[in-house]
């Protein structure tokens, strides 16, 4: 859990959130969803929410529109002790019996203003109930971007955790590969990978590992089967570790013998080359669309455009998929230094094979740092 390190970042995040809320013309921001609440308050339980007043660095200078004395954290009685341990004193901690939303209404009082909410984590039912309970002078304003933009730019402590998760996941895979791939089932390999990550200190996998051999790898999100991996095929493994709340994400495709055939080698080389070219262009200021186009153009020119049906990559942090997106449809916005993103082109030929190569990178001014340590050249693991 490591509350203290998370809490260190909390004060700075509070300041940035409060000014972000002001910039978006929001008086109070309602933070919901366990991951967002953990990010903002350090609280790692499942039931809690936070109210952030927009008025900048001094938590006591509440918005004139509200009765919110200082930043507020609301949970129920089951989490009283945990909240005291994890949520810093910058928050007034409130414990309600049952209904957190009643706590929100109580904290906001009868005033009014613009209440920002996170549209991806407040349910439609809770939104309706809030609307019903709140005084009419409160306007509900979708404000998910405020937290998402903040989460996308990692601080040093977050990058250290993602790096640790990546190292642990890389080591776990190396250990699994020592036992070979051919002759084991996809499910056995996936299970051992999870076990090896946990042995090395992971809280668990950051998502259920994908292990897919031969034609099965043509499904980008294939589920491991109880079927033996044959010799002389390509096997795609996509996995990540969850460590101190933070995720890693990586994919490699391996050959289970020298006899995979010329076409498989050619497609592997195409994906490797497109991936390397896109990775080479990652830096602060490049846009997710631009980077996607670098890999996609090369794959299209090789005649496989229709076989690369997903985006180039995504942000990784407390969640394995978060902002920013690197894709054709991503907002045409430049990446920022300290974004952490994947670069993962793939080619999937139905009924035949699939190849994906995915690395995790920290975006820097003028360049990037690759966190993944595994080689990208075609490797035979029999
Ligand atoms: Zn992945
Ligand atoms: Zn990914």
């Amino acid at each position: 859990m490591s509350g203290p390190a998370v809490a260190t970042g909390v004060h700075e995040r509070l300041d940035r959130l409060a000014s972000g809320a002001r910039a978006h013309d929001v008086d109070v921001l309602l933070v919901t969803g366990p991951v967002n609440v953990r990010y903002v308050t350090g609280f790692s339980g499942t039931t809690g929410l936070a109210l952030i007043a927009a008025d900048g660095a001094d938590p006591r200078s509440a918005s004139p529109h509200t009765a919110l004395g200082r930043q507020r954290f609301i949970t129920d009685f089951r989490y009283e002790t945990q909240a005291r341990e994890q949520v810093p004193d910058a928050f007034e901690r409130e414990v309600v019996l049952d209904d957190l939303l009643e706590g929100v209404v109580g904290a906001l009082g009868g005033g009014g203003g613009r209440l920002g909410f996170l549209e991806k984590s407040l349910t439609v039912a809770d939104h309706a109930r809030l609307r019903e309970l709140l005084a009419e002078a409160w306007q509900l304003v979708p404000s998910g971007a405020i937290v998402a933009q903040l989460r996308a730019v990692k601080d040093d402590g977050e990058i250290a955790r993602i790096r640790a998760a990546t190292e642990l996941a890389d080591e776990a895979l190396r250990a699994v590969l020592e036992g070979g791939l051919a002759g084991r089932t996809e499910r056995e390999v996936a299970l051992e990978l999870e076990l090896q990550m946990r042995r090395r200190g992971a809280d668990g996998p950051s998502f259920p590992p994908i292990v897919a051999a031969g034609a099965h790898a043509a499904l980008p999100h294939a589920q491991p089967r109880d079927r033996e991996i044959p010799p002389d095929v390509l096997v795609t493994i996509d996995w990540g570790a969850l460590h101190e709340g933070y995720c890693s994400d990586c994919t490699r495709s391996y050959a289970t013998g020298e006899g995979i055939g010329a076409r498989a080698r050619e497609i592997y080389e195409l994906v490797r080359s497109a991936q390397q070219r896109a990775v080479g262009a990652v830096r602060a200021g490049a846009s997710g669309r631009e980077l996607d186009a670098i890999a996609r153009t090369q794959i299209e020119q090789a005649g496989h455009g229709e076989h690369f049906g997903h985006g180039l990559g995504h942000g990784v942090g407390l969640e394995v998929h978060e902002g920013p997106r690197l894709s054709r449809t991503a907002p045409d916005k430049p990446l920022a230094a300290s974004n952490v993103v994947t670069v993962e082109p793939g080619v999937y030929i139905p009924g035949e094979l699939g190849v994906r190569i995915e690395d995790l990178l920290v975006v820097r001014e003028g360049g990037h740092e690759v966190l993944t340590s595994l080689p990208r050249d075609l490797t035979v693991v029999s």
Side-chain angles (χ1 to χ4, degrees), residues 282-312:
V282 173
R283 60 181 163 76
S287 79
R289 268 198 216 183
E290 195 180 313
L291 295 168
D292 180 280
I294 291 172
R296 194 169 302 280
T297 304
Q298 188 178 349
I299 290 171
E300 279 168 0
Q301 282 169 354
H304 289 292
E306 63 180 308
H307 298 139
F308 175 24
H310 57 73
L312 181 72

PDB file of all heavy atoms in Angstrom, residues 282-312:
ATOM      1  N   VAL A 282       9.065   9.230 -30.073  1.00  0.00           N
ATOM      2  CA  VAL A 282       8.364   9.653 -28.854  1.00  0.00           C
ATOM      3  C   VAL A 282       9.164  10.724 -28.110  1.00  0.00           C
ATOM      4  O   VAL A 282      10.333  10.524 -27.784  1.00  0.00           O
ATOM      5  CB  VAL A 282       8.095   8.446 -27.921  1.00  0.00           C
ATOM      6  CG1 VAL A 282       7.529   8.914 -26.587  1.00  0.00           C
ATOM      7  CG2 VAL A 282       7.135   7.456 -28.578  1.00  0.00           C
ATOM      8  N   ARG A 283       8.556  11.843 -27.899  1.00  0.00           N
ATOM      9  CA  ARG A 283       9.161  12.954 -27.140  1.00  0.00           C
ATOM     10  C   ARG A 283       8.045  13.908 -26.760  1.00  0.00           C
ATOM     11  O   ARG A 283       6.956  13.882 -27.373  1.00  0.00           O
ATOM     12  CB  ARG A 283      10.196  13.682 -28.007  1.00  0.00           C
ATOM     13  CG  ARG A 283       9.576  14.254 -29.245  1.00  0.00           C
ATOM     14  CD  ARG A 283      10.525  14.975 -30.179  1.00  0.00           C
ATOM     15  NE  ARG A 283       9.878  15.109 -31.483  1.00  0.00           N
ATOM     16  CZ  ARG A 283       8.908  15.987 -31.762  1.00  0.00           C
ATOM     17  NH1 ARG A 283       8.498  16.828 -30.845  1.00  0.00           N
ATOM     18  NH2 ARG A 283       8.343  16.028 -32.954  1.00  0.00           N
ATOM     19  N   ALA A 284       8.278  14.760 -25.791  1.00  0.00           N
ATOM     20  CA  ALA A 284       7.283  15.775 -25.434  1.00  0.00           C
ATOM     21  C   ALA A 284       7.058  16.654 -26.656  1.00  0.00           C
ATOM     22  O   ALA A 284       8.005  17.033 -27.335  1.00  0.00           O
ATOM     23  CB  ALA A 284       7.789  16.604 -24.260  1.00  0.00           C
ATOM     24  N   GLY A 285       5.782  16.917 -26.954  1.00  0.00           N
ATOM     25  CA  GLY A 285       5.467  17.748 -28.109  1.00  0.00           C
ATOM     26  C   GLY A 285       4.961  16.954 -29.301  1.00  0.00           C
ATOM     27  O   GLY A 285       4.240  17.491 -30.137  1.00  0.00           O
ATOM     28  N   ALA A 286       5.338  15.670 -29.398  1.00  0.00           N
ATOM     29  CA  ALA A 286       4.782  14.834 -30.469  1.00  0.00           C
ATOM     30  C   ALA A 286       3.346  14.494 -30.090  1.00  0.00           C
ATOM     31  O   ALA A 286       3.036  14.347 -28.914  1.00  0.00           O
ATOM     32  CB  ALA A 286       5.603  13.565 -30.629  1.00  0.00           C
ATOM     33  N   SER A 287       2.464  14.359 -31.074  1.00  0.00           N
ATOM     34  CA  SER A 287       1.083  14.024 -30.716  1.00  0.00           C
ATOM     35  C   SER A 287       0.858  12.522 -30.869  1.00  0.00           C
ATOM     36  O   SER A 287       1.553  11.839 -31.624  1.00  0.00           O
ATOM     37  CB  SER A 287       0.102  14.792 -31.601  1.00  0.00           C
ATOM     38  OG  SER A 287      -0.005  14.172 -32.865  1.00  0.00           O
ATOM     39  N   GLY A 288      -0.132  12.018 -30.132  1.00  0.00           N
ATOM     40  CA  GLY A 288      -0.467  10.600 -30.186  1.00  0.00           C
ATOM     41  C   GLY A 288      -0.873  10.181 -31.590  1.00  0.00           C
ATOM     42  O   GLY A 288      -0.600   9.064 -32.023  1.00  0.00           O
ATOM     43  N   ARG A 289      -1.519  11.085 -32.316  1.00  0.00           N
ATOM     44  CA  ARG A 289      -1.932  10.799 -33.693  1.00  0.00           C
ATOM     45  C   ARG A 289      -0.750  10.646 -34.619  1.00  0.00           C
ATOM     46  O   ARG A 289      -0.692   9.752 -35.456  1.00  0.00           O
ATOM     47  CB  ARG A 289      -2.765  11.962 -34.219  1.00  0.00           C
ATOM     48  CG  ARG A 289      -4.215  11.789 -34.000  1.00  0.00           C
ATOM     49  CD  ARG A 289      -4.949  12.726 -34.929  1.00  0.00           C
ATOM     50  NE  ARG A 289      -6.133  13.218 -34.256  1.00  0.00           N
ATOM     51  CZ  ARG A 289      -7.012  14.022 -34.827  1.00  0.00           C
ATOM     52  NH1 ARG A 289      -6.806  14.457 -36.060  1.00  0.00           N
ATOM     53  NH2 ARG A 289      -8.061  14.407 -34.162  1.00  0.00           N
ATOM     54  N   GLU A 290       0.184  11.580 -34.443  1.00  0.00           N
ATOM     55  CA  GLU A 290       1.396  11.606 -35.266  1.00  0.00           C
ATOM     56  C   GLU A 290       2.189  10.300 -35.065  1.00  0.00           C
ATOM     57  O   GLU A 290       2.646   9.689 -36.029  1.00  0.00           O
ATOM     58  CB  GLU A 290       2.184  12.792 -34.714  1.00  0.00           C
ATOM     59  CG  GLU A 290       3.310  13.370 -35.474  1.00  0.00           C
ATOM     60  CD  GLU A 290       3.881  14.542 -34.628  1.00  0.00           C
ATOM     61  OE1 GLU A 290       3.109  15.402 -34.119  1.00  0.00           O
ATOM     62  OE2 GLU A 290       5.112  14.570 -34.455  1.00  0.00           O
ATOM     63  N   LEU A 291       2.322   9.859 -33.816  1.00  0.00           N
ATOM     64  CA  LEU A 291       3.095   8.652 -33.519  1.00  0.00           C
ATOM     65  C   LEU A 291       2.396   7.426 -34.077  1.00  0.00           C
ATOM     66  O   LEU A 291       3.028   6.526 -34.645  1.00  0.00           O
ATOM     67  CB  LEU A 291       3.303   8.514 -32.005  1.00  0.00           C
ATOM     68  CG  LEU A 291       4.153   9.627 -31.386  1.00  0.00           C
ATOM     69  CD1 LEU A 291       4.068   9.599 -29.869  1.00  0.00           C
ATOM     70  CD2 LEU A 291       5.610   9.496 -31.840  1.00  0.00           C
ATOM     71  N   ASP A 292       1.062   7.388 -33.923  1.00  0.00           N
ATOM     72  CA  ASP A 292       0.280   6.286 -34.487  1.00  0.00           C
ATOM     73  C   ASP A 292       0.522   6.212 -35.993  1.00  0.00           C
ATOM     74  O   ASP A 292       0.715   5.131 -36.563  1.00  0.00           O
ATOM     75  CB  ASP A 292      -1.202   6.492 -34.181  1.00  0.00           C
ATOM     76  CG  ASP A 292      -2.077   5.383 -34.746  1.00  0.00           C
ATOM     77  OD1 ASP A 292      -2.369   5.418 -35.962  1.00  0.00           O
ATOM     78  OD2 ASP A 292      -2.457   4.477 -33.984  1.00  0.00           O
ATOM     79  N   ALA A 293       0.519   7.373 -36.642  1.00  0.00           N
ATOM     80  CA  ALA A 293       0.657   7.407 -38.105  1.00  0.00           C
ATOM     81  C   ALA A 293       2.021   6.885 -38.556  1.00  0.00           C
ATOM     82  O   ALA A 293       2.129   6.278 -39.628  1.00  0.00           O
ATOM     83  CB  ALA A 293       0.437   8.826 -38.613  1.00  0.00           C
ATOM     84  N   ILE A 294       3.044   7.093 -37.754  1.00  0.00           N
ATOM     85  CA  ILE A 294       4.379   6.624 -38.133  1.00  0.00           C
ATOM     86  C   ILE A 294       4.387   5.100 -38.286  1.00  0.00           C
ATOM     87  O   ILE A 294       4.831   4.556 -39.299  1.00  0.00           O
ATOM     88  CB  ILE A 294       5.431   7.073 -37.094  1.00  0.00           C
ATOM     89  CG1 ILE A 294       5.600   8.604 -37.171  1.00  0.00           C
ATOM     90  CG2 ILE A 294       6.765   6.357 -37.298  1.00  0.00           C
ATOM     91  CD1 ILE A 294       6.468   9.182 -36.079  1.00  0.00           C
ATOM     92  N   ALA A 295       3.853   4.410 -37.275  1.00  0.00           N
ATOM     93  CA  ALA A 295       3.821   2.942 -37.337  1.00  0.00           C
ATOM     94  C   ALA A 295       2.808   2.474 -38.381  1.00  0.00           C
ATOM     95  O   ALA A 295       3.067   1.544 -39.152  1.00  0.00           O
ATOM     96  CB  ALA A 295       3.472   2.371 -35.966  1.00  0.00           C
ATOM     97  N   ARG A 296       1.661   3.153 -38.416  1.00  0.00           N
ATOM     98  CA  ARG A 296       0.572   2.699 -39.288  1.00  0.00           C
ATOM     99  C   ARG A 296       0.948   2.833 -40.761  1.00  0.00           C
ATOM    100  O   ARG A 296       0.645   1.952 -41.566  1.00  0.00           O
ATOM    101  CB  ARG A 296      -0.711   3.489 -38.965  1.00  0.00           C
ATOM    102  CG  ARG A 296      -1.966   2.886 -39.556  1.00  0.00           C
ATOM    103  CD  ARG A 296      -3.217   3.544 -38.979  1.00  0.00           C
ATOM    104  NE  ARG A 296      -3.281   3.441 -37.520  1.00  0.00           N
ATOM    105  CZ  ARG A 296      -3.681   2.345 -36.874  1.00  0.00           C
ATOM    106  NH1 ARG A 296      -4.068   1.273 -37.552  1.00  0.00           N
ATOM    107  NH2 ARG A 296      -3.707   2.314 -35.555  1.00  0.00           N
ATOM    108  N   THR A 297       1.603   3.922 -41.112  1.00  0.00           N
ATOM    109  CA  THR A 297       1.972   4.126 -42.515  1.00  0.00           C
ATOM    110  C   THR A 297       2.879   2.997 -42.988  1.00  0.00           C
ATOM    111  O   THR A 297       2.692   2.446 -44.069  1.00  0.00           O
ATOM    112  CB  THR A 297       2.683   5.488 -42.673  1.00  0.00           C
ATOM    113  OG1 THR A 297       1.815   6.503 -42.167  1.00  0.00           O
ATOM    114  CG2 THR A 297       3.023   5.778 -44.113  1.00  0.00           C
ATOM    115  N   GLN A 298       3.838   2.647 -42.147  1.00  0.00           N
ATOM    116  CA  GLN A 298       4.753   1.582 -42.552  1.00  0.00           C
ATOM    117  C   GLN A 298       4.010   0.246 -42.719  1.00  0.00           C
ATOM    118  O   GLN A 298       4.248  -0.498 -43.674  1.00  0.00           O
ATOM    119  CB  GLN A 298       5.880   1.444 -41.520  1.00  0.00           C
ATOM    120  CG  GLN A 298       6.953   0.490 -42.001  1.00  0.00           C
ATOM    121  CD  GLN A 298       8.110   0.359 -41.024  1.00  0.00           C
ATOM    122  OE1 GLN A 298       8.229   1.123 -40.069  1.00  0.00           O
ATOM    123  NE2 GLN A 298       8.964  -0.625 -41.275  1.00  0.00           N
ATOM    124  N   ILE A 299       3.090  -0.027 -41.791  1.00  0.00           N
ATOM    125  CA  ILE A 299       2.342  -1.294 -41.865  1.00  0.00           C
ATOM    126  C   ILE A 299       1.394  -1.277 -43.073  1.00  0.00           C
ATOM    127  O   ILE A 299       1.243  -2.281 -43.780  1.00  0.00           O
ATOM    128  CB  ILE A 299       1.611  -1.543 -40.523  1.00  0.00           C
ATOM    129  CG1 ILE A 299       2.658  -1.873 -39.435  1.00  0.00           C
ATOM    130  CG2 ILE A 299       0.588  -2.665 -40.648  1.00  0.00           C
ATOM    131  CD1 ILE A 299       2.117  -1.935 -38.020  1.00  0.00           C
ATOM    132  N   GLU A 300       0.811  -0.124 -43.352  1.00  0.00           N
ATOM    133  CA  GLU A 300      -0.060   0.011 -44.536  1.00  0.00           C
ATOM    134  C   GLU A 300       0.724  -0.195 -45.823  1.00  0.00           C
ATOM    135  O   GLU A 300       0.276  -0.889 -46.739  1.00  0.00           O
ATOM    136  CB  GLU A 300      -0.716   1.401 -44.552  1.00  0.00           C
ATOM    137  CG  GLU A 300      -1.936   1.502 -43.658  1.00  0.00           C
ATOM    138  CD  GLU A 300      -2.413   2.944 -43.448  1.00  0.00           C
ATOM    139  OE1 GLU A 300      -1.784   3.877 -44.018  1.00  0.00           O
ATOM    140  OE2 GLU A 300      -3.405   3.129 -42.720  1.00  0.00           O
ATOM    141  N   GLN A 301       1.901   0.407 -45.864  1.00  0.00           N
ATOM    142  CA  GLN A 301       2.709   0.297 -47.089  1.00  0.00           C
ATOM    143  C   GLN A 301       3.128  -1.144 -47.360  1.00  0.00           C
ATOM    144  O   GLN A 301       3.359  -1.521 -48.514  1.00  0.00           O
ATOM    145  CB  GLN A 301       3.934   1.215 -47.003  1.00  0.00           C
ATOM    146  CG  GLN A 301       3.559   2.671 -47.284  1.00  0.00           C
ATOM    147  CD  GLN A 301       4.663   3.660 -46.949  1.00  0.00           C
ATOM    148  OE1 GLN A 301       5.703   3.291 -46.401  1.00  0.00           O
ATOM    149  NE2 GLN A 301       4.433   4.935 -47.258  1.00  0.00           N
ATOM    150  N   ALA A 302       3.199  -1.942 -46.298  1.00  0.00           N
ATOM    151  CA  ALA A 302       3.539  -3.356 -46.473  1.00  0.00           C
ATOM    152  C   ALA A 302       2.288  -4.181 -46.801  1.00  0.00           C
ATOM    153  O   ALA A 302       2.346  -5.409 -46.886  1.00  0.00           O
ATOM    154  CB  ALA A 302       4.214  -3.882 -45.215  1.00  0.00           C
ATOM    155  N   GLY A 303       1.127  -3.491 -46.933  1.00  0.00           N
ATOM    156  CA  GLY A 303      -0.101  -4.187 -47.326  1.00  0.00           C
ATOM    157  C   GLY A 303      -0.884  -4.770 -46.161  1.00  0.00           C
ATOM    158  O   GLY A 303      -1.802  -5.562 -46.353  1.00  0.00           O
ATOM    159  N   HIS A 304      -0.541  -4.377 -44.923  1.00  0.00           N
ATOM    160  CA  HIS A 304      -1.221  -4.962 -43.761  1.00  0.00           C
ATOM    161  C   HIS A 304      -2.021  -3.943 -42.952  1.00  0.00           C
ATOM    162  O   HIS A 304      -2.326  -4.192 -41.781  1.00  0.00           O
ATOM    163  CB  HIS A 304      -0.204  -5.671 -42.865  1.00  0.00           C
ATOM    164  CG  HIS A 304       0.328  -6.927 -43.473  1.00  0.00           C
ATOM    165  ND1 HIS A 304      -0.454  -8.046 -43.665  1.00  0.00           N
ATOM    166  CD2 HIS A 304       1.555  -7.236 -43.975  1.00  0.00           C
ATOM    167  CE1 HIS A 304       0.281  -8.999 -44.237  1.00  0.00           C
ATOM    168  NE2 HIS A 304       1.500  -8.521 -44.443  1.00  0.00           N
ATOM    169  N   GLY A 305      -2.359  -2.806 -43.562  1.00  0.00           N
ATOM    170  CA  GLY A 305      -3.117  -1.784 -42.852  1.00  0.00           C
ATOM    171  C   GLY A 305      -4.365  -2.331 -42.184  1.00  0.00           C
ATOM    172  O   GLY A 305      -4.665  -2.019 -41.030  1.00  0.00           O
ATOM    173  N   GLU A 306      -5.095  -3.176 -42.918  1.00  0.00           N
ATOM    174  CA  GLU A 306      -6.356  -3.703 -42.367  1.00  0.00           C
ATOM    175  C   GLU A 306      -6.108  -4.707 -41.229  1.00  0.00           C
ATOM    176  O   GLU A 306      -7.032  -5.076 -40.510  1.00  0.00           O
ATOM    177  CB  GLU A 306      -7.178  -4.381 -43.477  1.00  0.00           C
ATOM    178  CG  GLU A 306      -6.441  -5.578 -44.051  1.00  0.00           C
ATOM    179  CD  GLU A 306      -7.209  -6.293 -45.154  1.00  0.00           C
ATOM    180  OE1 GLU A 306      -8.369  -6.632 -44.930  1.00  0.00           O
ATOM    181  OE2 GLU A 306      -6.614  -6.495 -46.238  1.00  0.00           O
ATOM    182  N   HIS A 307      -4.861  -5.152 -41.079  1.00  0.00           N
ATOM    183  CA  HIS A 307      -4.550  -6.125 -40.019  1.00  0.00           C
ATOM    184  C   HIS A 307      -4.010  -5.466 -38.749  1.00  0.00           C
ATOM    185  O   HIS A 307      -3.523  -6.147 -37.846  1.00  0.00           O
ATOM    186  CB  HIS A 307      -3.530  -7.157 -40.539  1.00  0.00           C
ATOM    187  CG  HIS A 307      -4.042  -7.950 -41.696  1.00  0.00           C
ATOM    188  ND1 HIS A 307      -3.268  -8.265 -42.797  1.00  0.00           N
ATOM    189  CD2 HIS A 307      -5.267  -8.479 -41.941  1.00  0.00           C
ATOM    190  CE1 HIS A 307      -3.993  -8.954 -43.656  1.00  0.00           C
ATOM    191  NE2 HIS A 307      -5.213  -9.101 -43.155  1.00  0.00           N
ATOM    192  N   PHE A 308      -4.044  -4.138 -38.728  1.00  0.00           N
ATOM    193  CA  PHE A 308      -3.611  -3.400 -37.525  1.00  0.00           C
ATOM    194  C   PHE A 308      -4.818  -2.587 -37.081  1.00  0.00           C
ATOM    195  O   PHE A 308      -4.932  -1.408 -37.382  1.00  0.00           O
ATOM    196  CB  PHE A 308      -2.395  -2.532 -37.873  1.00  0.00           C
ATOM    197  CG  PHE A 308      -1.900  -1.620 -36.772  1.00  0.00           C
ATOM    198  CD1 PHE A 308      -2.140  -1.887 -35.421  1.00  0.00           C
ATOM    199  CD2 PHE A 308      -1.165  -0.474 -37.084  1.00  0.00           C
ATOM    200  CE1 PHE A 308      -1.674  -1.045 -34.417  1.00  0.00           C
ATOM    201  CE2 PHE A 308      -0.701   0.382 -36.085  1.00  0.00           C
ATOM    202  CZ  PHE A 308      -0.957   0.094 -34.751  1.00  0.00           C
ATOM    203  N   GLY A 309      -5.710  -3.236 -36.357  1.00  0.00           N
ATOM    204  CA  GLY A 309      -7.024  -2.639 -36.086  1.00  0.00           C
ATOM    205  C   GLY A 309      -7.155  -1.933 -34.754  1.00  0.00           C
ATOM    206  O   GLY A 309      -8.265  -1.621 -34.341  1.00  0.00           O
ATOM    207  N   HIS A 310      -6.058  -1.688 -34.057  1.00  0.00           N
ATOM    208  CA  HIS A 310      -6.182  -0.956 -32.792  1.00  0.00           C
ATOM    209  C   HIS A 310      -5.213   0.212 -32.779  1.00  0.00           C
ATOM    210  O   HIS A 310      -4.402   0.368 -33.697  1.00  0.00           O
ATOM    211  CB  HIS A 310      -5.963  -1.874 -31.580  1.00  0.00           C
ATOM    212  CG  HIS A 310      -4.639  -2.592 -31.565  1.00  0.00           C
ATOM    213  ND1 HIS A 310      -3.452  -1.947 -31.296  1.00  0.00           N
ATOM    214  CD2 HIS A 310      -4.315  -3.882 -31.792  1.00  0.00           C
ATOM    215  CE1 HIS A 310      -2.460  -2.829 -31.348  1.00  0.00           C
ATOM    216  NE2 HIS A 310      -2.948  -4.015 -31.661  1.00  0.00           N
ATOM    217  N   GLY A 311      -5.307   1.032 -31.765  1.00  0.00           N
ATOM    218  CA  GLY A 311      -4.434   2.202 -31.667  1.00  0.00           C
ATOM    219  C   GLY A 311      -3.001   1.804 -31.336  1.00  0.00           C
ATOM    220  O   GLY A 311      -2.727   0.671 -30.936  1.00  0.00           O
ATOM    221  N   LEU A 312      -2.090   2.748 -31.483  1.00  0.00           N
ATOM    222  CA  LEU A 312      -0.674   2.469 -31.240  1.00  0.00           C
ATOM    223  C   LEU A 312      -0.359   2.270 -29.765  1.00  0.00           C
ATOM    224  O   LEU A 312       0.514   1.480 -29.410  1.00  0.00           O
ATOM    225  CB  LEU A 312       0.188   3.618 -31.776  1.00  0.00           C
ATOM    226  CG  LEU A 312       1.691   3.437 -31.599  1.00  0.00           C
ATOM    227  CD1 LEU A 312       2.220   2.362 -32.559  1.00  0.00           C
ATOM    228  CD2 LEU A 312       2.441   4.748 -31.802  1.00  0.00           C
TER     229      LEU A 312
END
